[in-house]
Amino acid sequence: MKKLFDDYLFTESLPLEARLINMIYCAGIISALAVVIARIFMGSSPFLIITIFAIIFAVAAMLYFSNKFDAYKASTWIIVIVLCDILFPLAFFALGGVRSSIAAYFVLSIVIIFFLVNNKAFLPMLIVHIAIACFCYWLGAQYPEFVASLTEKQSYPDQIQTFIIVGICIGMIIRFQRFLFMAEKRKLDSTLLKLESETDARILQDNLLKSINRMASILISSDAEDWKSALDQSVEILYPVIDVDRLYVWKNEFINGELHYRAIYIWTKDDKLKPDMPLLYPLRERDGWQRDIAAGKVVNGPVSAFSESDRAMLEPHKMKSVLMLPIFLAGRFWGFVSFDDCRDERYFSIEAQDILRSGGHMMANTIERSYFLKQLAEAKDDAVQNARAKSEFLANMSHEIRTPLNAVIGMTTIGRAAAEVKKKNYSFDKIEEASTHLLGIINDILDMSKIDAGKLDLVMEELNLRKLLTKVVTVINFRIKEKQQHFSLDVDPALPHIIKSDDQRLSQVLLNLLGNAIKFTPEDGEIKLTVKQIRADSERCLIDFEVSDTGIGISEEQQQKLFLPFVQAESTTSRKFGGTGLGLAISKQITEMMGGGIGVTSVPGKGSAFHFTIDVAIGNEQSFLEKNSQKTDALTVVHDYSAYRILIAEDVDINREIITGLLEDTGLGIDFAENGRVAVEKFCADPDGYHLIFMDVQMPLMDGYAATEKIRAFAHEKAVRIPIIAMTANVFKEDIDRCKAVGMNDHLGKPIELARVFEVLEQYLVE
């Protein structure tokens, strides 16, 4: 029976009309069963009982087929016409007429008509049924023989069955109507509640949009430097709408290659809620909410619903609910904004999430705009300072270059006019000093340009550290004597004799520091070079060099910019003492490339101490001695090269004169070529006639690179073996590498050093 009711009465899958019809069918089946039971007790004939059972099956069949074929309107007419207007009137005569309780069935018929019929047919059907009932009573009174007899004894069970059956039917109809009413009421309440919730959500959404618009106005018009104040004003507008207790803005940053998130802005509703927590966390992408945030997902809901590890992290900070919104700027995971509710457990709506995400993006953009403008201002200041420093540098360079040039031009004029050999030699000496100084300035500028381009390279070779120190001291010794200064050298005996380093660059740093000490120390002052070992093992050694003096000293403010390029301690320094302002910047780069660093301690008026460290490999003393035992000083021994003939490709007349003058005492046979094409023609015409070629690089018609390639490609065995030495002013490492790549054996930089020329001749001719 329960299944019957569930399938045909209380299901939402059937229309209301069908369920009303089914209700009458079910009531008919139940009442018919009650009639059967009553008639059995009353001793009715078997034919009557069988007839009633047939009626029950007929009603059940009508119930089934009306639902199967959706014949609900036809069922309504069948019930009203067959049941109310035919069966009940026939029952009036069959069950005893006026003496029976059939009147209750006529009442039930009227109830059924009211229950089922709700269209224009209602009133005609009601009138017809009342007329039929009245006709039955009239006919029974006029013709009693048409009415079955009913004894008084039979009337009592009939009355009982009637009030039970009719009562149950009418009760079921009323109960079903009440069920329908309550179901519709629940739907209405649910709809009203949903409507109210949607209204509240829409009001919240509208308020949020208004707050976000006001936030946007504040943030867009805010001063970039005062972004925190702008965020405070914005959050004060926002928090009454979303009713949160804390707001964070977390920004990603990499520390030692690991992604962290830092709280760069915090707002709290109450000072008591200020977080007692670190402001920097590593982003553990494998853990709960952090994994979701890193994947761009929203974290939303009560903290109690989070995983155990997440709760252990969040609950100590009094969080009941949290909303975390990931922020992506320009497609990059920038960080996230979090909203904390420390009072209630709740979820934030989808609409609120979308609007608050827009607010979070505005906050992040405001912060980024502030950072960008700050960096832009700093870059502008740096550019202005660099421009000013370079302008001052160019002014200093003009002075520094013109000074030795003036000496060269002036002493040339004096030497030309002098009659005495002594005075001429004096002029030549001064010209040489000025030229050497000018070359040093040019080398500093070139080194600085290499540093700016990231092309400063070291040539690591074995060298004798003590000999290097001796050479450096020899170079600066005459200047110390000129200023009557006192110099001392203190070398740690534990230092290794042979190390692997760049001889030229290490000497450059030492000469720069010693040169500065001499320059800024007055007469009778003291200068000391101390070299000591800090630590060492069997393979490497950390060496500390210190140059101390009793000079003018340097203030702390001046020390901050001392190692910057194009900068001197004071702008007046170059005017008073000279210098390019590049030496210390170059020294800093060199020492850092050697695995160390450089620094200074100084007291104005008392002196300075510059110190630097280098990390070097320890060389093999025995192999170094064997390798260098055959080398001789090329300046003191002039060999006889009369058995050799060389070809020099050089397009500049004065350079050809210089080379001729330098080599005229050697006995060398020298042929010149004005460009690369002539050099190729001369060599190809007489390959066996030349033992070595000096090749300039930049020449008209054909440069040195192309000339070398053509010589190497010439079909003669000498073309592959003859030494070709680059002799050029292109002295960068990439220039040297390119010379060797096209087939040159070695490289000589201009200006030409005589000692280096003799080394090349010894290596490629004599040896």
Side-chain angles (χ1 to χ4, degrees):
M1 189 66 68
K2 182 178 183 301
K3 187 176 188 311
L4 181 69
F5 287 170
D6 289 341
D7 290 344
Y8 292 103
L9 299 181
F10 304 128
T11 175
E12 295 286 339
S13 62
L14 293 177
L16 178 62
E17 181 185 17
R19 293 158 69 191
L20 293 176
I21 297 294
N22 293 342
M23 176 66 222
I24 299 301
Y25 283 139
C26 291
I29 292 171
I30 293 171
S31 61
L33 289 173
V35 170
V36 169
I37 295 171
R39 288 298 170 180
I40 291 173
F41 279 109
M42 291 171 66
S44 298
S45 66
F47 176 76
L48 179 61
I49 293 173
I50 292 171
T51 301
I52 297 172
F53 268 117
I55 292 172
I56 292 173
F57 283 114
V59 172
M62 290 174 65
L63 172 66
Y64 173 77
F65 286 111
S66 66
N67 284 279
K68 181 175 180 63
F69 299 107
D70 297 332
Y72 303 120
K73 289 185 178 180
S75 295
T76 301
W77 287 96
I78 290 171
I79 290 172
V80 173
I81 294 173
V82 175
L83 180 65
C84 298
D85 295 341
I86 297 176
L87 290 180
F88 284 169
L90 292 176
F92 174 83
F93 295 102
L95 298 178
V98 176
R99 295 176 60 85
S100 70
S101 57
I102 195 65
Y105 288 100
F106 287 128
V107 172
L108 178 61
S109 296
I110 293 173
V111 172
I112 290 173
I113 291 171
F114 272 92
F115 185 67
L116 290 181
V117 183
N118 57 1
N119 52 25
K120 293 179 180 180
F122 165 71
L123 189 59
M125 281 188 174
L126 181 62
I127 293 172
V128 169
H129 179 69
I130 292 173
I132 291 173
C134 293
F135 176 74
C136 288
Y137 276 99
W138 177 83
L139 188 62
Q142 293 295 324
Y143 303 98
E145 62 273 16
F146 290 164
V147 180
S149 62
L150 182 69
T151 65
E152 186 175 354
K153 182 179 179 181
Q154 290 175 327
S155 67
Y156 292 111
D158 181 63
Q159 298 287 339
I160 292 171
Q161 77 160 19
T162 299
F163 85 76
I164 292 174
I165 291 170
V166 173
I168 289 174
C169 288
I170 294 175
M172 287 179 66
I173 291 172
I174 294 172
R175 186 62 179 263
F176 185 66
Q177 286 282 57
R178 185 175 182 276
F179 164 78
L180 293 178
F181 170 78
M182 295 305 296
E184 293 301 317
K185 185 177 183 300
R186 284 193 296 271
K187 288 182 181 179
L188 180 61
D189 291 343
S190 175
T191 302
L192 290 174
L193 184 62
K194 183 178 179 182
L195 183 62
E196 182 180 354
S197 175
E198 290 177 352
T199 302
D200 291 342
R202 181 59 59 87
I203 292 172
L204 174 62
Q205 185 175 351
D206 291 343
N207 290 336
L208 275 174
L209 286 171
K210 291 177 183 177
S211 300
I212 293 297
N213 287 335
R214 293 175 63 190
M215 277 182 63
S217 177
I218 292 172
L219 295 176
I220 291 172
S221 60
S222 65
D223 186 353
E225 295 182 358
D226 196 20
W227 62 270
K228 288 188 177 180
S229 176
L231 259 60
D232 287 340
Q233 295 179 48
S234 301
V235 177
E236 290 293 335
I237 293 171
L238 184 64
Y239 98 84
V241 181
I242 56 174
D243 192 24
V244 295
D245 300 299
R246 276 196 302 255
L247 182 148
Y248 300 89
V249 178
W250 301 88
K251 186 177 185 302
N252 295 340
E253 62 180 70
F254 281 92
I255 300 176
N256 297 326
E258 184 179 10
L259 184 61
H260 289 66
Y261 56 98
R262 182 188 298 276
I264 58 175
Y265 175 77
I266 301 175
W267 173 89
T268 57
K269 181 179 178 181
D270 190 337
D271 288 342
K272 295 179 181 178
L273 295 173
K274 285 187 176 179
D276 181 19
M277 59 189 293
L279 301 181
L280 181 68
Y281 288 95
L283 187 60
R284 310 293 187 190
E285 296 187 15
R286 291 174 295 179
D287 297 339
W289 69 265
Q290 298 182 73
R291 178 192 61 236
D292 293 340
I293 281 289
K297 298 179 181 178
V298 174
V299 177
N300 177 26
V303 174
S304 61
F306 289 10
S307 66
E308 184 177 351
S309 61
D310 287 345
R311 292 199 307 272
M313 181 179 183
L314 300 177
E315 285 178 343
H317 307 302
K318 303 177 182 178
M319 297 181 190
K320 294 287 187 181
S321 303
V322 65
L323 173 65
M324 301 180 186
L325 300 169
I327 302 297
F328 287 82
L329 296 183
R332 177 179 59 88
F333 179 37
W334 181 88
F336 61 96
V337 179
S338 64
F339 303 85
D340 296 352
D341 189 335
C342 300
R343 291 165 287 118
D344 301 315
E345 291 192 343
R346 59 162 166 160
Y347 288 91
F348 294 81
S349 68
I350 298 295
E351 294 78 12
Q353 292 177 33
D354 293 338
I355 297 172
L356 291 174
R357 191 196 303 272
S358 298
H361 275 88
M362 284 191 287
M363 293 181 185
N365 277 309
T366 299
I367 295 169
E368 283 297 292
R369 176 169 63 98
S370 171
Y371 285 177
F372 173 75
L373 292 177
K374 182 180 178 182
Q375 292 172 356
L376 190 63
E378 291 175 352
K380 179 182 176 182
D381 291 342
D382 290 343
V384 170
Q385 291 178 5
N386 287 338
R388 185 182 300 115
K390 288 186 177 182
S391 296
E392 293 177 358
F393 165 76
L394 290 174
N396 292 341
M397 287 303 98
S398 176
H399 174 268
E400 288 297 313
I401 292 173
R402 287 173 181 274
T403 298
L405 278 177
N406 182 62
V408 170
I409 295 170
M411 295 311 296
T412 300
T413 303
I414 293 172
R416 184 184 295 117
E420 299 178 5
V421 174
K422 183 177 180 182
K423 195 168 185 178
K424 286 183 180 290
N425 289 339
Y426 174 81
S427 299
F428 290 148
D429 289 341
K430 291 301 180 182
I431 290 172
E432 183 180 15
E433 289 178 14
S435 301
T436 302
H437 178 61
L438 182 60
L439 181 60
I441 294 172
I442 294 172
N443 285 336
D444 278 353
I445 296 172
L446 291 176
D447 283 345
M448 200 64 239
S449 68
K450 290 180 185 178
I451 291 172
D452 284 343
K455 295 179 179 178
L456 185 68
D457 295 302
L458 300 180
V459 180
M460 310 301 282
E461 296 177 336
E462 287 189 339
L463 60 92
N464 188 314
L465 179 58
R466 286 166 176 78
K467 283 189 176 181
L468 181 144
L469 295 173
T470 301
K471 181 177 68 174
V472 168
V473 171
T474 301
V475 172
I476 56 98
N477 197 41
F478 80 97
R479 294 178 59 195
I480 291 175
K481 290 181 178 179
E482 279 184 346
K483 294 191 69 172
Q484 300 178 359
Q485 295 166 336
H486 304 283
F487 176 78
S488 61
L489 173 64
D490 184 6
V491 180
D492 187 349
L495 282 167
H497 288 272
I498 309 302
I499 62 172
K500 288 184 179 180
S501 187
D502 189 316
D503 188 330
Q504 179 185 349
R505 295 302 181 184
L506 182 55
S507 300
Q508 183 178 352
V509 175
L510 287 169
L511 287 171
N512 179 58
L513 296 182
L514 288 168
N516 286 343
I518 295 168
K519 184 191 302 183
F520 297 110
T521 301
E523 292 185 359
D524 205 36
E526 295 183 0
I527 299 171
K528 183 177 182 180
L529 171 58
T530 304
V531 187
K532 60 184 178 181
Q533 175 179 290
I534 297 178
R535 66 172 182 269
D537 54 30
S538 60
E539 296 182 353
R540 302 196 68 82
C541 178
L542 184 64
I543 304 174
D544 179 76
F545 299 80
E546 182 179 271
V547 177
S548 58
D549 62 58
T550 57
I552 61 175
I554 308 166
S555 68
E556 289 187 9
E557 181 182 357
Q558 294 165 350
Q559 292 176 35
Q560 299 298 321
K561 55 184 180 179
L562 200 58
F563 296 99
L564 298 176
F566 314 114
V567 174
Q568 290 181 316
E570 289 182 341
S571 59
T572 58
T573 301
S574 62
R575 293 196 295 269
K576 185 175 180 180
F577 295 97
T580 64
L582 296 176
L584 290 177
I586 296 170
S587 298
K588 179 178 183 293
Q589 181 72 16
I590 291 172
T591 55
E592 289 176 353
M593 291 176 67
M594 290 183 175
I598 190 169
V600 61
T601 56
S602 182
V603 178
K606 293 187 177 180
S608 305
F610 284 84
H611 55 87
F612 69 91
T613 57
I614 59 172
D615 185 5
V616 298
I618 299 174
N620 187 297
E621 188 170 351
Q622 184 63 33
S623 63
F624 177 80
L625 292 175
E626 292 175 357
K627 182 179 177 181
N628 292 274
S629 61
Q630 302 299 323
K631 286 190 177 181
T632 59
D633 189 348
L635 289 173
T636 60
V637 178
V638 178
H639 288 278
D640 180 10
Y641 297 109
S642 57
Y644 303 99
R645 184 173 170 222
I646 66 173
L647 174 62
I648 300 178
E650 172 61 64
D651 63 318
V652 180
D653 291 340
I654 187 65
N655 289 342
R656 292 199 293 268
E657 285 186 35
I658 291 172
I659 296 170
T660 302
L662 292 175
L663 300 178
E664 65 181 351
D665 294 332
T666 63
L668 268 172
I670 301 175
D671 283 350
F672 285 102
E674 295 79 14
N675 55 62
R677 181 181 296 174
V678 174
V680 173
E681 291 172 353
K682 287 193 173 185
F683 174 79
C684 294
D686 185 14
D688 292 321
Y690 297 106
H691 300 88
L692 182 143
I693 300 174
F694 281 122
M695 183 73 72
D696 190 14
V697 170
Q698 294 184 357
M699 294 182 291
L701 299 181
M702 182 184 290
D703 62 27
Y705 301 124
T708 300
E709 289 176 333
K710 286 189 174 295
I711 290 173
R712 294 301 188 201
F714 183 60
H716 191 281
E717 61 175 355
K718 191 69 174 289
V720 179
R721 293 187 291 105
I722 188 169
I724 302 178
I725 313 300
M727 190 166 60
T728 174
N730 297 349
V731 294
F732 286 168
K733 184 178 183 298
E734 58 267 28
D735 299 320
I736 299 173
D737 292 342
R738 186 180 177 188
C739 290
K740 293 183 177 179
V742 299
M744 299 188 194
N745 300 83
D746 212 330
H747 181 279
L748 286 176
K750 294 178 181 178
I752 300 298
E753 296 179 11
L754 184 59
R756 179 74 178 116
V757 173
F758 285 150
E759 285 182 10
V760 169
L761 294 176
E762 284 291 303
Q763 179 179 352
Y764 292 100
L765 293 181
V766 178
E767 295 181 4

